[in-house]
Amino acid sequence: LIGQLYEKAGNFSYAADFYSRAVNRTLNPVLEVYGRLNSIRMQKGDNKVINENIEALLKMARREKYMRYRDLIYFTAAQIELERNNVEGAKQLLLLATKYKSPESDNSQISKAWIQLGDIAYGERKYAESKSYYDSATVPNHPVLSAEAFAYRKSSLGTLVDQETIIARQDSLQQLAALPEAEREAIIKKLAKKLRKQKGLKEEDDTGETFVNPAVSNNNNPNQPAPDLFAGASGADAKGEWYFQNQGLRGKGFTAFKTKWGNRKNVDNWR
């Protein structure tokens, strides 16, 4: 408390001294962390001193003893960067702060980082980013705005971002439509190829038609029965083996599946 009073009075050297005394005498690990953070933060000076302070905080975050307080440590380092107007550096540290959470604490410290990221993006008129950051805060307590004002800002951002999305989409479509037909078709084919690759779908042939393996296609005929996945267990391929123990049939099934569906990740609801 004495250190905080000296800090309020602008006497940072005395403040640092009393913060250090608290660190040396306390048995409370949380108080020790805050004391160390504030003691480092009181070392005012040029860029060299600031860089040394930030490096001391990052070194502290890497120590196993303080790992559960990394969210607080990175948040404090971000405040130092903001004090010298290094916004990009502060953003990186705030994003680091959002990745770590103490098992014993709630999400309040992480929410502070998300809200500050939202404020920075809002000031830069990056409204989509701002809305995303604000929405990530599970404890929506803004340090300046009232609960009503903060809720109104988030609601307004939602409306604004929706309209920005429409404008961006229409601008892109109109720009594409204004191109010569050959150039437009080339761009569309390139985009379609990229989207199909992202979804794990097959390539298209030169005619623009999707190639479908006849071995796994029912030609869209509703009267044609679905192919038997275990066909071949009799006749020439018969070995008296269960399907999943027959390497030949399993290989055919794997190839047919890959031809139809592509390289799918093993995740739920992939279709």
Side-chain angles (χ1 to χ4, degrees):
L1 290 174
I2 295 173
Q4 289 175 334
L5 289 172
Y6 273 121
E7 181 182 350
K8 292 275 187 184
N11 194 330
F12 302 121
S13 60
Y14 274 7
D17 177 48
F18 278 95
Y19 285 139
S20 298
R21 294 190 194 188
V23 169
N24 293 332
R25 288 165 174 77
T26 184
L27 298 177
N28 186 327
V30 177
L31 184 58
E32 178 192 351
V33 170
Y34 274 101
R36 288 188 183 279
L37 292 177
N38 289 331
S39 178
I40 293 171
R41 195 164 52 83
M42 292 302 100
Q43 308 303 319
K44 307 293 183 179
D46 55 17
N47 273 338
K48 181 180 179 181
V49 174
I50 294 174
N51 287 334
E52 289 174 353
N53 292 343
I54 293 174
E55 182 57 37
L57 289 172
L58 298 181
K59 184 177 179 181
M60 185 177 173
R62 291 191 292 268
R63 291 182 61 185
E64 185 176 357
K65 179 180 180 181
Y66 303 111
M67 279 192 172
R68 67 175 62 185
Y69 305 107
R70 284 180 293 187
D71 53 349
L72 174 61
I73 294 170
Y74 287 127
F75 183 84
T76 303
Q79 307 316 301
I80 296 177
E81 290 287 24
L82 287 174
E83 285 178 3
R84 65 170 173 176
N85 205 29
N86 182 7
V87 178
E88 291 302 318
K91 285 182 185 178
Q92 297 302 316
L93 290 166
L94 287 170
L95 287 171
L96 281 174
T98 64
K99 293 182 178 180
Y100 302 103
K101 174 181 176 295
S102 171
E104 297 86 1
S105 69
D106 57 16
N107 287 317
S108 59
Q109 186 61 50
I110 293 177
S111 292
K112 285 182 182 178
W114 283 125
I115 289 173
Q116 192 163 47
L117 282 165
D119 287 345
I120 293 172
Y122 187 84
E124 295 174 342
R125 298 187 178 183
K126 297 178 180 178
Y127 299 122
E129 281 187 25
S130 180
K131 180 180 183 300
S132 176
Y133 291 143
Y134 284 150
D135 288 345
S136 298
T138 57
V139 184
N141 294 329
H142 197 279
V144 177
L145 299 177
S146 66
E148 294 78 11
F150 187 43
Y152 179 75
R153 176 182 286 189
K154 291 175 64 178
S155 175
S156 301
L157 280 173
T159 302
L160 182 59
V161 170
D162 288 343
Q163 298 304 314
E164 282 187 333
T165 303
I166 293 172
I167 292 171
R169 185 191 307 118
Q170 292 300 319
D171 284 349
S172 298
L173 291 173
Q174 292 182 33
Q175 184 179 11
L176 184 63
L179 294 173
E181 183 176 358
E183 188 176 348
R184 183 171 64 244
E185 291 292 332
I187 293 175
I188 291 174
K189 285 184 177 180
K190 184 177 180 181
L191 288 173
K193 183 178 180 180
K194 181 180 178 181
L195 289 172
R196 296 184 70 80
K197 185 175 181 181
Q198 288 176 349
K199 294 183 178 182
L201 300 177
K202 300 175 293 300
E203 298 288 341
E204 292 183 344
D205 61 19
D206 294 336
T207 65
E209 297 294 332
T210 302
F211 171 74
V212 179
N213 189 331
V216 296
S217 172
N218 63 0
N219 297 321
N220 297 321
N221 184 353
N223 297 320
Q224 180 176 335
D228 184 1
L229 294 176
F230 306 104
S234 61
D237 291 328
K239 295 183 181 180
E241 295 178 344
W242 184 43
Y243 173 84
F244 293 104
Q245 292 177 333
N246 187 319
Q247 295 297 329
L249 294 180
R250 286 175 57 193
K252 288 181 181 179
F254 177 82
T255 302
F257 181 91
K258 189 173 181 180
T259 300
K260 183 173 183 180
W261 299 111
N263 293 318
R264 288 286 175 178
K265 293 183 179 180
N266 186 19
V267 294
D268 291 342
N269 303 317
W270 59 269
R271 290 185 64 180

mmCIF file of all heavy atoms in Angstrom, residues 226-248:
data_model
loop_
_atom_site.group_PDB
_atom_site.id
_atom_site.type_symbol
_atom_site.label_atom_id
_atom_site.label_comp_id
_atom_site.label_asym_id
_atom_site.label_seq_id
_atom_site.Cartn_x
_atom_site.Cartn_y
_atom_site.Cartn_z
ATOM 1 N N ALA A 226 -28.041 -48.915 -53.763
ATOM 2 C CA ALA A 226 -26.726 -48.404 -53.362
ATOM 3 C C ALA A 226 -25.680 -49.490 -53.542
ATOM 4 O O ALA A 226 -25.971 -50.675 -53.388
ATOM 5 C CB ALA A 226 -26.775 -47.957 -51.909
ATOM 6 N N PRO A 227 -24.461 -49.125 -53.917
ATOM 7 C CA PRO A 227 -23.423 -50.135 -54.111
ATOM 8 C C PRO A 227 -23.130 -50.882 -52.821
ATOM 9 O O PRO A 227 -23.156 -50.315 -51.740
ATOM 10 C CB PRO A 227 -22.209 -49.304 -54.561
ATOM 11 C CG PRO A 227 -22.477 -47.924 -54.060
ATOM 12 C CD PRO A 227 -23.950 -47.754 -54.121
ATOM 13 N N ASP A 228 -22.841 -52.158 -52.984
ATOM 14 C CA ASP A 228 -22.522 -53.002 -51.834
ATOM 15 C C ASP A 228 -21.070 -52.786 -51.448
ATOM 16 O O ASP A 228 -20.148 -53.082 -52.220
ATOM 17 C CB ASP A 228 -22.762 -54.478 -52.194
ATOM 18 C CG ASP A 228 -22.529 -55.405 -51.003
ATOM 19 O OD1 ASP A 228 -22.198 -54.887 -49.920
ATOM 20 O OD2 ASP A 228 -22.667 -56.626 -51.178
ATOM 21 N N LEU A 229 -20.862 -52.209 -50.268
ATOM 22 C CA LEU A 229 -19.496 -51.928 -49.824
ATOM 23 C C LEU A 229 -18.661 -53.189 -49.686
ATOM 24 O O LEU A 229 -17.439 -53.141 -49.739
ATOM 25 C CB LEU A 229 -19.521 -51.188 -48.480
ATOM 26 C CG LEU A 229 -20.119 -49.781 -48.505
ATOM 27 C CD1 LEU A 229 -20.151 -49.223 -47.092
ATOM 28 C CD2 LEU A 229 -19.332 -48.863 -49.413
ATOM 29 N N PHE A 230 -19.311 -54.321 -49.491
ATOM 30 C CA PHE A 230 -18.590 -55.569 -49.253
ATOM 31 C C PHE A 230 -18.648 -56.488 -50.464
ATOM 32 O O PHE A 230 -18.396 -57.680 -50.366
ATOM 33 C CB PHE A 230 -19.173 -56.287 -48.028
ATOM 34 C CG PHE A 230 -19.194 -55.406 -46.816
ATOM 35 C CD1 PHE A 230 -20.367 -54.825 -46.371
ATOM 36 C CD2 PHE A 230 -18.022 -55.112 -46.145
ATOM 37 C CE1 PHE A 230 -20.377 -53.994 -45.273
ATOM 38 C CE2 PHE A 230 -18.009 -54.284 -45.045
ATOM 39 C CZ PHE A 230 -19.199 -53.721 -44.608
ATOM 40 N N ALA A 231 -19.013 -55.932 -51.642
ATOM 41 C CA ALA A 231 -19.060 -56.742 -52.848
ATOM 42 C C ALA A 231 -17.669 -57.267 -53.163
ATOM 43 O O ALA A 231 -16.662 -56.596 -52.971
ATOM 44 C CB ALA A 231 -19.586 -55.916 -54.013
ATOM 45 N N GLY A 232 -17.615 -58.471 -53.720
ATOM 46 C CA GLY A 232 -16.329 -59.070 -54.047
ATOM 47 C C GLY A 232 -15.927 -60.109 -53.037
ATOM 48 O O GLY A 232 -14.893 -60.735 -53.179
ATOM 49 N N ALA A 233 -16.758 -60.315 -52.041
ATOM 50 C CA ALA A 233 -16.424 -61.327 -51.046
ATOM 51 C C ALA A 233 -16.722 -62.720 -51.564
ATOM 52 O O ALA A 233 -16.538 -63.702 -50.867
ATOM 53 C CB ALA A 233 -17.210 -61.087 -49.775
ATOM 54 N N SER A 234 -17.229 -62.779 -52.792
ATOM 55 C CA SER A 234 -17.439 -64.073 -53.413
ATOM 56 C C SER A 234 -16.880 -64.008 -54.808
ATOM 57 O O SER A 234 -16.580 -62.947 -55.344
ATOM 58 C CB SER A 234 -18.944 -64.398 -53.454
ATOM 59 O OG SER A 234 -19.624 -63.425 -54.215
ATOM 60 N N GLY A 235 -16.749 -65.130 -55.495
ATOM 61 C CA GLY A 235 -16.257 -65.154 -56.863
ATOM 62 C C GLY A 235 -14.746 -65.105 -56.897
ATOM 63 O O GLY A 235 -14.067 -65.736 -56.101
ATOM 64 N N ALA A 236 -14.229 -64.274 -57.844
ATOM 65 C CA ALA A 236 -12.788 -64.276 -58.076
ATOM 66 C C ALA A 236 -12.003 -63.790 -56.864
ATOM 67 O O ALA A 236 -10.875 -64.194 -56.644
ATOM 68 C CB ALA A 236 -12.468 -63.382 -59.281
ATOM 69 N N ASP A 237 -12.638 -62.863 -56.085
ATOM 70 C CA ASP A 237 -11.914 -62.311 -54.931
ATOM 71 C C ASP A 237 -12.126 -63.125 -53.662
ATOM 72 O O ASP A 237 -11.624 -62.761 -52.610
ATOM 73 C CB ASP A 237 -12.365 -60.874 -54.669
ATOM 74 C CG ASP A 237 -11.883 -59.961 -55.778
ATOM 75 O OD1 ASP A 237 -10.804 -60.246 -56.313
ATOM 76 O OD2 ASP A 237 -12.597 -58.981 -56.093
ATOM 77 N N ALA A 238 -12.929 -64.165 -53.766
ATOM 78 C CA ALA A 238 -13.266 -64.915 -52.559
ATOM 79 C C ALA A 238 -12.053 -65.648 -52.023
ATOM 80 O O ALA A 238 -11.369 -66.347 -52.745
ATOM 81 C CB ALA A 238 -14.385 -65.897 -52.852
ATOM 82 N N LYS A 239 -11.791 -65.457 -50.758
ATOM 83 C CA LYS A 239 -10.727 -66.185 -50.078
ATOM 84 C C LYS A 239 -11.242 -66.802 -48.792
ATOM 85 O O LYS A 239 -10.467 -67.273 -47.980
ATOM 86 C CB LYS A 239 -9.559 -65.244 -49.758
ATOM 87 C CG LYS A 239 -8.848 -64.692 -51.002
ATOM 88 C CD LYS A 239 -7.677 -63.827 -50.585
ATOM 89 C CE LYS A 239 -6.961 -63.253 -51.793
ATOM 90 N NZ LYS A 239 -5.813 -62.397 -51.393
ATOM 91 N N GLY A 240 -12.561 -66.709 -48.641
ATOM 92 C CA GLY A 240 -13.117 -67.231 -47.403
ATOM 93 C C GLY A 240 -12.777 -66.362 -46.221
ATOM 94 O O GLY A 240 -12.758 -66.839 -45.085
ATOM 95 N N GLU A 241 -12.479 -65.063 -46.469
ATOM 96 C CA GLU A 241 -12.083 -64.158 -45.396
ATOM 97 C C GLU A 241 -13.177 -63.131 -45.141
ATOM 98 O O GLU A 241 -13.933 -62.774 -46.042
ATOM 99 C CB GLU A 241 -10.791 -63.409 -45.755
ATOM 100 C CG GLU A 241 -9.580 -64.312 -45.883
ATOM 101 C CD GLU A 241 -8.345 -63.514 -46.287
ATOM 102 O OE1 GLU A 241 -8.520 -62.368 -46.740
ATOM 103 O OE2 GLU A 241 -7.233 -64.033 -46.146
ATOM 104 N N TRP A 242 -13.221 -62.684 -43.919
ATOM 105 C CA TRP A 242 -14.098 -61.560 -43.589
ATOM 106 C C TRP A 242 -13.569 -60.330 -44.318
ATOM 107 O O TRP A 242 -12.370 -60.171 -44.524
ATOM 108 C CB TRP A 242 -14.079 -61.339 -42.070
ATOM 109 C CG TRP A 242 -15.016 -60.274 -41.590
ATOM 110 C CD1 TRP A 242 -16.291 -60.068 -41.994
ATOM 111 C CD2 TRP A 242 -14.736 -59.268 -40.606
ATOM 112 N NE1 TRP A 242 -16.847 -59.005 -41.344
ATOM 113 C CE2 TRP A 242 -15.895 -58.486 -40.471
ATOM 114 C CE3 TRP A 242 -13.624 -58.958 -39.827
ATOM 115 C CZ2 TRP A 242 -15.990 -57.430 -39.590
ATOM 116 C CZ3 TRP A 242 -13.709 -57.897 -38.948
ATOM 117 C CH2 TRP A 242 -14.877 -57.146 -38.835
ATOM 118 N N TYR A 243 -14.478 -59.423 -44.716
ATOM 119 C CA TYR A 243 -14.098 -58.278 -45.557
ATOM 120 C C TYR A 243 -12.899 -57.523 -44.982
ATOM 121 O O TYR A 243 -11.939 -57.215 -45.682
ATOM 122 C CB TYR A 243 -15.295 -57.329 -45.700
ATOM 123 C CG TYR A 243 -14.961 -56.046 -46.409
ATOM 124 C CD1 TYR A 243 -14.956 -55.979 -47.794
ATOM 125 C CD2 TYR A 243 -14.613 -54.904 -45.688
ATOM 126 C CE1 TYR A 243 -14.642 -54.798 -48.457
ATOM 127 C CE2 TYR A 243 -14.286 -53.730 -46.335
ATOM 128 C CZ TYR A 243 -14.302 -53.677 -47.724
ATOM 129 O OH TYR A 243 -13.980 -52.513 -48.369
ATOM 130 N N PHE A 244 -12.938 -57.200 -43.686
ATOM 131 C CA PHE A 244 -11.903 -56.352 -43.105
ATOM 132 C C PHE A 244 -10.586 -57.085 -42.881
ATOM 133 O O PHE A 244 -9.598 -56.479 -42.487
ATOM 134 C CB PHE A 244 -12.399 -55.727 -41.792
ATOM 135 C CG PHE A 244 -13.510 -54.741 -42.003
ATOM 136 C CD1 PHE A 244 -14.822 -55.075 -41.708
ATOM 137 C CD2 PHE A 244 -13.253 -53.498 -42.538
ATOM 138 C CE1 PHE A 244 -15.845 -54.173 -41.915
ATOM 139 C CE2 PHE A 244 -14.276 -52.585 -42.751
ATOM 140 C CZ PHE A 244 -15.580 -52.923 -42.444
ATOM 141 N N GLN A 245 -10.580 -58.390 -43.150
ATOM 142 C CA GLN A 245 -9.332 -59.147 -43.098
ATOM 143 C C GLN A 245 -8.806 -59.443 -44.495
ATOM 144 O O GLN A 245 -7.741 -60.042 -44.632
ATOM 145 C CB GLN A 245 -9.542 -60.462 -42.332
ATOM 146 C CG GLN A 245 -9.814 -60.251 -40.849
ATOM 147 C CD GLN A 245 -10.093 -61.554 -40.123
ATOM 148 O OE1 GLN A 245 -10.565 -62.507 -40.720
ATOM 149 N NE2 GLN A 245 -9.800 -61.578 -38.829
ATOM 150 N N ASN A 246 -9.538 -59.015 -45.516
ATOM 151 C CA ASN A 246 -9.131 -59.230 -46.894
ATOM 152 C C ASN A 246 -8.408 -57.986 -47.380
ATOM 153 O O ASN A 246 -9.024 -56.961 -47.646
ATOM 154 C CB ASN A 246 -10.379 -59.514 -47.752
ATOM 155 C CG ASN A 246 -10.012 -59.916 -49.172
ATOM 156 O OD1 ASN A 246 -9.115 -59.340 -49.768
ATOM 157 N ND2 ASN A 246 -10.721 -60.904 -49.694
ATOM 158 N N GLN A 247 -7.094 -58.040 -47.498
ATOM 159 C CA GLN A 247 -6.302 -56.873 -47.845
ATOM 160 C C GLN A 247 -6.672 -56.317 -49.215
ATOM 161 O O GLN A 247 -6.691 -55.105 -49.426
ATOM 162 C CB GLN A 247 -4.807 -57.230 -47.815
ATOM 163 C CG GLN A 247 -4.280 -57.589 -46.430
ATOM 164 C CD GLN A 247 -4.371 -56.429 -45.457
ATOM 165 O OE1 GLN A 247 -4.273 -55.264 -45.853
ATOM 166 N NE2 GLN A 247 -4.572 -56.730 -44.182
ATOM 167 N N GLY A 248 -6.985 -57.194 -50.165
ATOM 168 C CA GLY A 248 -7.344 -56.739 -51.511
ATOM 169 C C GLY A 248 -8.618 -55.913 -51.508
ATOM 170 O O GLY A 248 -8.675 -54.830 -52.108
#
